[in-house]
């Protein structure tokens, strides 16, 4: 029994590392896309590419999976996709328009919000060491992002934009709702057809991304209706960025995130956002030749210590 639990914990840890790596790649790709496309169009392209790649699973398995689900399960899947599309839009808008302090503080609070949902909504138990590890991760994010902002003179800082701050707040709330819907779906999985686990998870993900593309497409329509604007034909660089966003952080990262959310303790899900920050630093250092600043090394060290402490206490 102990051996099985240890093996499952190690799988959860590998899942966290894989999701963190995929999400860490998403930041630069999102930046490239949003230099030429509005947030709504970027979000729609991302969700559409993820859905296209899973289209065979959607055509082969979606109907069978939906037929086996109760109405509540169907609503959870649809709601998860709709919320995910909105979350992507809010996140991109928040990064583009929010004040730096607001955006990063909310990202740091995200793990605590996931744990709050797990404890209050699903009666999960928390270990003290794991909780301390999460707070170390949150502290690391704040050191990396807020410290340089505080050291910047007022003349160099950008004014706070209310729209961006609101989007950043709603992005965190929508992610918590997205997690809640995925976690609540856990009891419904036992009623699904006896296909392979991989095929079932991709089938469920295809349904989620269908609704994510639907909600993000609706956001494009609303954006055009409220503020008509012309969108130029995207360059090959932008298309590749959208393709990368659809495949790496969405198809791979969020599909694995959905699996971990449904199967594992929320402590593992709460490690993904700090892990994303740490992976982004490492990828920039290894592949882009970026120099680590002292505050980045300090914050990265705190995140790494938090992840290791949490993993050790759970494994």
């Amino acid at each position: 029994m102990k051996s099985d639990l240890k093996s499952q914990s190690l799988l959860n840890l590998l899942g966290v590392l894989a999701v963190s790596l995929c999400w860490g790649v998403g930041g630069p790709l999102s930046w490239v896309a949003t230099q030429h496309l509005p947030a709504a169009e970027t979000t729609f392209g991302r969700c559409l590419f993820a859905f296209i790649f899973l289209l065979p699973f959607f055509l082969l398995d979606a109907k069978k999976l939906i037929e086996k689900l109760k109405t509540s399960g169907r609503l959870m899947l649809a709601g998860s996709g709709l919320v995910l599309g909105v979350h992507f839009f809010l996140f991109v808008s928040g990064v583009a328009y929010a004040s730096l302090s607001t955006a990063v503080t909310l990202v740091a609070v995200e793990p605590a919000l996931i744990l709050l949902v797990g404890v209050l909504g699903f009666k999960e138990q928390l270990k003290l060491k794991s909780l301390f590890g999460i707070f170390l991760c949150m502290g690391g994010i704040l050191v990396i992002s807020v410290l340089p902002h505080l050291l910047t003179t007022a003349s160099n800082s950008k004014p706070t934009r209310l729209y961006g701050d609101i989007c950043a707040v709603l992005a965190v709330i929508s992610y918590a709702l997205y997690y809640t819907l995925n976690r609540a779906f856990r009891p419904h999985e036992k009623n699904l057809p006896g296909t392979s686990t991989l095929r079932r998870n991709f089938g469920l993900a295809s349904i989620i991304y269908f609704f994510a593309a639907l909600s993000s497409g609706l956001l494009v329509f609303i954006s055009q209706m409220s503020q008509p604007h012309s969108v130029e034909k995207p360059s090959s660089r932008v298309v590749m960025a959208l393709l990368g966003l659809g495949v790496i952080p969405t198809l791979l990262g969020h599909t694995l995130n959905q699996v971990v959310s449904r199967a594992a303790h929320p402590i593992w899900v709460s490690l993904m956002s700090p892990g994303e920050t740490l992976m982004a630093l490492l990828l920039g250092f290894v592949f882009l030749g970026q120099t680590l600043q002292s505050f980045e090394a300090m914050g990265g060290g705190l995140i790494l210590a938090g992840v290791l402490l949490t993993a050790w206490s759970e494994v």
Side-chain angles (χ1 to χ4, degrees), residues 21 29 31 62-63 77 113 124 198 237 280:
L21 178 61
L29 293 174
W31 182 86
K63 184 179 179 181
L77 271 185
L113 191 57
E124 300 278 10
L198 183 66
R237 185 167 181 257

Side-chain angles (χ1 to χ4, degrees), residues 1-10 315:
M1 187 66 179
K2 277 189 176 182
S3 177
D4 292 340
L5 290 174
K6 188 172 183 178
S7 298
Q8 186 59 52
S9 296
L10 289 173
V315 173

